[in-house]
Every structure is written in C-alpha cells, then in structure tokens.
Amino acid sequence: MAQSTLALGVEAVGCAGFDAGIKGAFGYPGTPSTEGFECVEALIHAAADGRVAQWAANEKVAYDLALGVSFAGFRTLVTMKHVGLNVALDAYANSALTGVHGGLVLLVADDPGMHSSQNEQDSRSLASFAWLPCLEPSTVQECYDFTLRAFDLSEALQVPVMVRLVTRLAHCRAPLDRREALAPTGLGPVPAAQAQDWVLIPSNARRRYEDLLAKQPRLLAALADLNRSVPGPSRRGVALAGMGRAYFHQLALEHPELRDLPRLELAAQPVDPDLEAAFLATVDEVLVFEEDYPLVETRLGLRARVKVHGRMDGALPRVGELSPRLLKAALGLAPSMGTPAELDLPVRAPRFCDGCGHVDAFEALQEALGNLGATAQARVFGDIGCYTLAAQEPLSALHAVVEMGASISMAVGAALAGLHPAVAVIGDSTFGHSGLPALLTAMDAGADVTILILDNRVVGMTGQQPSQALDQVERMVLGMGIPEASLQVLTPLPRHHEANVKAVAAALQQPGPSVLVFRRECIQSLRRGVLREHDRNEKAERASACCTLEVQP
Amino acid sequence: MSALRIHGIVLSGVGGQGVLSLAQIVLEALRRSGFHALQSEIHGMSQRGGSVQAQVCFAEVPLTSPILDEGSADLLIALEPLEALRHVAMLRPDGHLVASEEPSADMAGYPPLEDIYRALKAVRGACLLDTEDLARRLRHPQAGGMALLGMASRHLPVPEAVWQAVITERFAAKGERVITKNLEAFAAGQGLVPARAEA
Ligand SMILES: Cc1ncc(C[n+]2csc(CCOP(=O)(O)OP(=O)(O)O)c2C)c(N)n1
Ligand code: SF4
C-alpha cells in the first residue's frame, strides 16, 4: 500500500531500501547518515520476515557484508558517512571490478561545512575514482525516488550505485510519498559461469577492469535522463548539482527573473560530455553551484571559450557549504538583511553530560601524569567519540585527534620514535572499529605505550547504539596478546579516583604496552534504557550457566 | 510569472530542551493546514548541551530549500534567551519573536541577564515569557515549550482544531494526563497574545 509520511532525507533512503525489497541493510553510525540505517532497521524489525539489519564493526565490514548479500543474489543497502567511505574504499573500489549480482546501493552522507566531521571531502570524487555511478538527490522525495532508481540501475548495469546526500538534505524533514513495498526476491548465488568474475586474481582483474571501462558508455546512457539542459534567453547560465539545484529552484520562485537563465541541471554522474558541450555552446559565462569540491566547475572550466565562475574564482567561498545567501550574492541579487543583537554572544560549545565517566577517566590520567612529574613530556593521542570533547577546556587533555583508530597507532609510532610517556585514549566502539589491529601491532612491536579504553558500552556520540565490543573488551585485549598483568579494568567514578590514579601511574611506569579499561555505561544510554534488555538477558543466562561454567570476570 | 512569498520560522534552544520535537509539531500542523512545508535541523552534538536550531519554511507551492536566509524569518521561537539573541538577525523587520526568559547559563562567559533582556526587548515584536514561573503555576516542568508554541500559534495560519489534533497525537503514547497538561500549557501561551485579526 502506498503511503505518505514525514521523513528526513536519510530516512527516505532507508525507506526506499526497504521498499526496493532488500534482504539486508548494513552500516556503521556516523552523522548525518545514522538515521538512514535506523529507519530501515525499524522497518525490517517490524516486518519480521527474515531480512536482516546489522550494524557492522566498521564501514569496510559493512560494505563487504552488503557485497556478500549481493553475491547471494539479493538486494542490499549499506550506509555510512563520508569519512566512512575512506575505511570502506578498498571494498568499494574493488567491487567495481567484481560488479554486483543482487542490486547494491551505497548511501553516503557528506558533511560540507563540517557540522560534525573532521573534513569535508566529496564522495562524488570517490565514485569517479572507482568508475562508478553516483546519484545526487536534492529533495526528500528525490532521496526516495533516486534510491529506488539506484537499485534498478545497479542490477541493469551490474555495478554498485552510490546515493550521495549532504547534511542539509540528510537532515531535512519533508513529506514523502512511498510506493508499494516489494518483497525480497532472490536470484540465487552468482552462477558458475560468472564465478571467475568475482575472483580478482590479476588475470581476472585485468579482464574485469576492461569490462568496467567498456561499461562506461552504457552507464552514461542509463543515467542520461537524470541530467538535463534547460534553455533560456540569457547568455549567462547556471550549472546546478545537488543542493545547488534545490536552492536555485527556490530562489527562482521568489525572483522570477532567474527563470531566464539557461540551466545545466545535474543529478547523476558521470555526465555525458556532449550534454555539457551543448549547454556551454548556448552561454558566454556560467555560474556553478555544487556542494563541496569544484568538480563540475573544473570540468566545465576546461572548455576555454566560456567563463566559469564558482569556488575557484571567488564567486563562492572555496570551503564550506552552499546556502541560499551565497547563491544570491553570486547571482548579484540584493542580500536580505536582519538586525543582529547588539551584544557579544559567546559560543555555547557542546560539553560532556553531567556525570559522564569519560571525565573521571581523564582526571585520573592527568593526576597520575602530574604525580609522576610527566605532565610536560607526556603526549596523549586521542580518538573520535564523545571523549574528543576532552581536547577543549577545562581538561585540554588531548594532543592529537585525527581519524578513527589513530590513537593507538600514533602513540605506538611516537613511542617507537622515543617519545615517553605516549598515551592513547580510545572509546570502545572505536576500538572495535579500527583499534584492534593497532593493538596487535603495538604488541608485536613491544612499544612502550599506555592505552586507555573508555568503555561506555555504546557508541555515545552518534546516539548510543550498542557497541559491537559490548562485554568483550577485555577478551579482545587479551586476544591481541596483551598479558593479563598488563590489563586492568577500572570504574570511572569519583569515589574510585584515588585507586584509578594509582592504577594509571603503575601502567605508565610499566615498560611495554599496557591497557586500562575504564568501564561505566554512558549516562544517556542508561537514561534511555538502551541496554536494559541486553543486561537482563545476560544476567539470566549467567544464572543458568553458573553451575557448570566458571564465569570470566 | 510572479514572485512568491515564502514563510519561515526559526526555533532555537539548547540540546535537550525539545527544540526539534517542537519543530516537528509546527511542521505537521502547517502540513495539515494545507501548506507545503520543509524542516531542517542542525544539532552537531545536541545531547551534550550545545546550541540547537531548527527551521521550518512553508508556502502555497512545493519548496526545495530547507534553509532560510538572514532577515527572512517571520517568526523566531526561542526556548532560551541567549539562544534567542543568537538568531534575531534571521527575523524580517516585521517578524515576531517569542522567547523564554529562563536562562541555561551553565557555560563559560554567559552575559549578564539584564543585558540579554535589554537586547531582547529592543527587538520589534518581541514577546517574552517567564517559563519557570508558568511551569510552577501549571505544575508542569516542561510547560515552557508548549506555552511558547501557544504564543507563536497566534502568528501562524493554523486552525485551532489542527493544533489540538497534532498536539494530542504527539503525546498520545504518553497517556491522557500528559496530553491534557500539554494542551493546557499551549492554551496558557495562547492567552498571552491577542488573536490575529485574520486568524
Ligand atoms: C570513519 C568514521 N566513521 C564514523 C564516524 C562517526 N563517529 C564519530 S565518533 C564515533 C564512535 C564513537 O564511539 P566510541 O569510540 O565508543 O566513543 P563514545 O562516543 O561512546 O564516547 C563514530 C561512529 C567517524 N568520525 N569516522
Ligand atoms: S552521551 Fe554518554 S559518553 Fe557522551 S558525553 Fe554524554 S554521558 Fe558521556
């Protein structure tokens, strides 16, 4: 039954995945992509018809899970934020060569303006890097329609298809009309005749790469109707992609004169060069509105006759997200002005929730370093999560925060270069995401590092999803070869402060890698009861097993 | 080819105050009143007490831009006085401001309250509410947001029955008492602002 609801842009992608009849949805949380997975997860759970929605340990795992579903002959959706695609890039780029069997759609949410990310890289460039198609919706309804289309394209062309959103669209809530949901239909696994396509030994890979390149004209043809050139009487034109399209269309409602401008409207890449050439032949100059990197701008700029304006010539700022205000300025429309308050307004920075255990852990670390007289020499390598807030005042406890998993490896590298004390601070989810292999190397290198794993049992920062490392952290640490004597489990609570300071000091003085697990559940997940059922089941299980098994601490 | 008027509302506050939930009520109410409406939200890490902002745009034709330009909002609904000031530049000269007087001052460098109130009262069309006092009188700690919405409703083209229905549905899962309490807070807010001539 078709239905109309209100949905966020990312949720519309999730709904479309469900309605397209996916068998499995996978992802790793990351703003602003998280709600896309959560939406399809809720639909799949409600349907209770044997489909799966599974958070993965990281984005690469999520992507490979999806590729496995595709291999098995079913449709599948995988979701991540832009920097997550770096982690999944090996899988993504190589799946271009294997191709897909069941339709595979990748939702990537970019974050121009860095509302909640460490960079503003443009996923469209990774799609062209992999020779794969990318659809770029500009409204919530398009998020849905394009995702459905992406599944058809994926199966018709036998390639993974990316649907790229940006923060403003991902978190735009608007009415959504859904179509009737399809049930998953299986094609059966990749047939024997094609088995070699999926085995990327060099002899096959060379052939598959040629196949991928040979597919490119078909790809252009299949996407052709998503890109169009709209003529107009003016010799000044605009090229619009993604939110550039959305903002321009709305401005044209308020400023009818804009409807005279010839437009190149792009919703999918690769773009047919003939379409761009034909458009450029009708104008003398063109203003390009696209989100993030100047990709369309650079491409159009290669054609010498036409003057191209955008981020490269200062018509728009080089960095940051587009906005209606920036479009207006570039188009020469009078800015609308408001009256700001006549008062200096301090920024209201995010901070730790009252009572958050991370604060207790950092206080213990800082006091232990102080007691050892090591505050000045010590360097603390942080990671990505709520605990990154410790970089700011009053704690000012972190010297580096780069990307997920970097804390342990950077501390090991620095320690191998002679820096002491070298401390790593990493959350439990990030530890499961990419800290594990780093710990294996720390062990192998025998590096003199102290590693704090802040185990709040959830992915705090992205909305308290249960952590994949839930109840497993010590076993994971021991499994990487850390001796029991070098592992301590502590409770970050004010009343344990003295004991924690002593434990941290001992670990700092002990040669070789040592690990301190600070375990206390996130205040927010406790309040919401995220793990209540899990803990109840766990307790019941332990009660029934305790007569025969010795319980591990 | 004629120009079209697009209406805008900005809602602001601090993480945890319910800005986004209020925005969703407004969005749904406008939609049911026959408008095309969009909502956008920006909330980096809102559960940890940062600034939160949502915007709602509506018009008689389908819209595509979820964000407003400075000086183009008809209405600013602020759940906290400093967070009201942060967004007053979004208001049109003939816009309206409804804001709570109750500070969330748990941060570095919070300006003196009297400066904040002075700056707020200088805004044309400002209507301030002592939400703390109202919450006490109604014996409903969360009354503030709903009362501000009641005040704001005087400036929005939404029929009374639609407000009643949307608020009732929003709190349906929490039981009859919660619904009544919220409708009561909404009505209290409405009572503080005279009805629009055309409403
Ligand atoms: C590659 C990548 N994927 C996802 C994210 C989004 N993200 C930021 S922090 C975080 C995990 C935080 O969990 P944890 O390490 O347990 O720390 P907590 O927030 O619970 O303190 C995620 C998923 C990211 N920044 N980079
Ligand atoms: S959400 Fe949880 S982990 Fe994050 S600051 Fe709050 S209590 Fe700490």
Side-chain angles (χ1 to χ4, degrees):
Chain A
M1 131 217 68
Q3 40 188 319
S4 180
T5 46
L6 281 170
L8 295 176
V10 270
E11 291 174 340
V13 175
C15 288
F18 182 84
D19 295 347
I22 57 168
K23 179 78 176 177
F26 309 97
Y28 185 75
T31 313
S33 72
T34 311
E35 298 92 339
F37 178 87
E38 287 174 339
C39 170
V40 72
E41 181 187 36
L43 291 169
I44 283 178
H45 284 172
D49 58 359
R51 311 193 215 188
V52 287
Q54 172 70 50
W55 283 123
N58 67 31
E59 292 86 352
K60 173 188 154 46
V61 173
Y63 194 93
D64 285 330
L65 289 167
L67 197 57
V69 171
S70 167
F71 185 100
F74 286 99
R75 289 186 163 187
T76 179
L77 176 71
V78 53
T79 73
M80 59 195 65
K81 71 182 288 171
H82 60 339
V83 286
L85 184 54
N86 296 338
V87 178
L89 190 57
D90 203 9
Y92 174 65
N94 288 305
S95 69
L97 271 63
T98 59
V100 305
H101 186 43
L104 189 160
V105 173
L106 163 66
L107 158 65
V108 185
D110 286 0
D111 190 16
M114 300 182 236
H115 293 284
S116 48
S117 310
Q118 69 266 44
N119 77 21
E120 57 174 22
Q121 66 183 59
D122 190 327
S123 297
R124 291 176 305 163
S125 51
L126 292 179
S128 38
F129 170 80
W131 299 100
L132 291 174
C134 168
L135 306 189
E136 198 179 5
S138 71
T139 65
V140 171
Q141 189 63 46
E142 279 183 0
C143 287
Y144 180 85
D145 296 341
F146 283 21
T147 303
L148 288 184
R149 177 78 188 271
F151 279 103
D152 292 338
L153 285 168
S154 175
E155 280 168 3
L157 300 164
Q158 299 205 318
V159 289
V161 177
M162 176 192 292
V163 175
R164 182 233 192 188
L165 270 56
V166 295
T167 301
R168 291 297 180 170
L169 178 58
H171 283 172
C172 170
R173 193 180 298 278
L176 168 68
D177 288 322
R178 285 173 62 184
R179 288 202 224 142
E180 203 164 326
L182 303 174
T185 37
L187 307 167
V190 170
Q194 286 163 28
Q196 287 303 308
D197 293 354
W198 288 73
V199 182
L200 294 183
I201 53 175
S203 53
N204 290 337
R206 281 182 214 115
R207 177 174 58 81
R208 292 303 284 164
Y209 186 45
E210 302 230 354
D211 292 346
L212 175 64
L213 297 183
K215 242 184 230 177
Q216 298 298 310
R218 272 179 60 212
L219 233 136
L220 283 185
L223 300 173
D225 65 302
L226 289 162
N227 299 323
R228 60 182 191 147
S229 171
V230 183
S234 171
R235 292 294 298 174
R236 188 166 158 246
V238 288
L240 312 169
M243 292 312 281
R245 234 164 12 105
Y247 296 146
F248 184 88
H249 283 301
Q250 185 147 322
L251 279 179
L253 291 176
E254 294 172 285
H255 302 273
E257 67 275 20
L258 293 180
R259 297 172 208 168
D260 287 344
L261 305 185
R263 310 191 294 274
L264 178 65
E265 297 199 22
L266 304 177
Q269 66 168 46
V271 182
D272 188 344
D274 292 344
L275 177 76
E276 291 182 343
F279 166 74
L280 288 176
T282 68
V283 294
D284 298 323
E285 57 179 332
V286 57
L287 253 163
V288 184
F289 297 120
E290 62 190 315
E291 205 70 273
D292 265 331
Y293 293 178
L295 299 180
V296 176
E297 184 181 339
T298 310
R299 213 165 53 225
L300 298 183
L302 296 176
R303 311 193 183 237
R305 193 188 61 79
V306 174
K307 270 210 219 81
V308 177
H309 307 291
R311 293 189 187 268
M312 300 304 284
D313 74 338
L316 293 165
R318 185 67 184 80
V319 300
E321 62 178 348
L322 289 180
S323 68
R325 191 173 184 77
L326 290 176
L327 262 71
K328 273 196 209 166
L331 288 162
L333 299 171
S336 95
M337 301 295 276
T339 316
E342 283 174 27
L343 194 66
D344 265 344
L345 304 179
V347 173
R348 191 186 292 272
R351 55 189 176 79
F352 286 108
C353 303
D354 292 333
C356 173
H358 291 343
V359 176
D360 297 291
F362 279 107
E363 285 176 348
L365 171 65
Q366 290 191 315
E367 194 167 321
L369 287 170
N371 291 350
L372 297 175
T375 305
Q377 309 89 283
R379 292 295 180 273
V380 182
F381 298 89
D383 225 303
I384 315 252
C386 281
Y387 46 91
T388 311
L389 292 168
Q392 63 189 29
E393 290 179 348
L395 284 167
S396 308
L398 301 175
H399 299 98
V401 174
V402 185
E403 98 289 354
M404 284 188 79
S407 58
I408 298 180
S409 338
M410 281 184 75
V412 169
L416 293 177
L419 191 149
H420 186 80
V423 180
V425 181
I426 186 168
D428 52 334
S429 181
T430 304
F431 180 60
H433 177 280
S434 43
L436 266 178
L439 186 58
L440 186 60
T441 303
M443 190 58 223
D444 186 52
D448 194 1
V449 291
T450 303
I451 299 165
L452 277 62
I453 303 180
L454 306 189
D455 180 3
N456 60 5
R457 312 189 72 211
V458 293
V459 196
M461 179 121 154
T462 52
Q464 303 98 44
Q465 299 77 13
S467 164
Q468 296 250 298
L470 187 58
D471 302 333
Q472 306 293 332
V473 172
E474 293 97 296
R475 271 194 272 175
M476 288 159 75
V477 170
L478 296 174
M480 291 299 109
I482 298 286
E484 279 188 52
S486 303
L487 168 67
Q488 298 186 69
V489 181
L490 307 169
T491 307
L493 270 174
R495 68 184 141 91
H496 293 293
H497 180 68
E498 293 311 318
N500 290 349
V501 171
K502 272 199 205 124
V504 178
L508 286 165
Q509 287 171 294
Q510 180 182 327
S514 47
V515 177
L516 298 152
V517 177
F518 281 91
R519 172 161 316 121
R520 177 152 71 82
E521 188 172 336
C522 161
I523 303 281
Q524 297 295 344
S525 70
L526 255 184
R527 185 176 59 82
R528 291 173 43 214
V530 174
L531 299 176
R532 205 174 292 143
E533 197 182 318
H534 165 89
D535 288 345
R536 203 181 298 132
N537 295 344
E538 199 76 350
K539 209 168 145 195
E541 215 164 278
R542 229 176 298 157
S544 66
C546 70
C547 17
T548 49
L549 273 176
E550 199 161 315
V551 182
Q552 289 282 324
Chain B
M1 288 212 306
S2 68
L4 177 106
R5 172 90 154 77
I6 294 165
H7 304 269
I9 307 164
V10 177
L11 300 100
S12 68
V14 179
Q17 283 189 322
V19 171
L20 302 184
S21 142
L22 220 53
Q24 284 176 33
I25 293 175
V26 172
L27 177 69
E28 179 64 21
L30 287 165
R31 189 170 80 107
R32 285 207 211 168
S33 307
F35 292 96
H36 292 271
L38 295 181
Q39 181 216 326
S40 85
E41 46 196 61
I42 280 297
H43 50 95
M45 296 176 279
S46 52
Q47 73 261 66
R48 284 164 297 279
S51 299
V52 182
Q53 193 218 141
Q55 301 185 351
V56 179
C57 315
F58 65 100
E60 269 146 17
V61 299
L63 297 178
T64 51
S65 164
I67 49 178
L68 297 163
D69 192 3
E70 194 185 305
S72 66
D74 300 85
L75 182 60
L76 168 58
I77 306 174
L79 277 67
E80 202 278 346
L82 177 63
E83 297 310 315
L85 285 183
R86 207 183 293 288
H87 300 286
V88 288
M90 294 298 292
L91 281 172
R92 300 161 57 94
D94 59 351
H96 295 274
L97 164 67
V98 296
S100 164
E101 287 177 359
E102 189 182 344
S104 272
D106 190 6
M107 58 178 274
Y110 198 89
L113 262 183
E114 53 275 24
D115 294 357
I116 292 187
Y117 293 154
R118 197 176 318 118
L120 279 175
K121 282 174 186 152
V123 179
R124 226 194 117 260
C127 230
L128 305 186
L129 174 67
D130 183 343
T131 45
E132 199 177 355
D133 176 64
L134 184 88
R136 206 176 310 117
R137 277 191 290 121
L138 296 182
R139 280 181 240 178
H140 174 197
Q142 277 94 46
M146 222 21 97
L148 289 167
L149 185 60
M151 292 164 74
S153 71
R154 295 299 200 194
H155 306 293
L156 291 172
V158 173
E160 181 60 23
V162 172
W163 285 120
Q164 299 282 327
V166 173
I167 294 170
T168 302
E169 284 164 33
R170 183 89 198 165
F171 296 100
K174 301 198 171 156
E176 205 53 49
R177 214 187 82 87
V178 177
I179 295 173
T180 314
K181 279 285 182 196
N182 279 290
L183 288 173
E184 191 179 279
F186 183 83
Q190 273 183 321
L192 298 172
V193 181
R196 296 200 309 178
E198 72 267 38

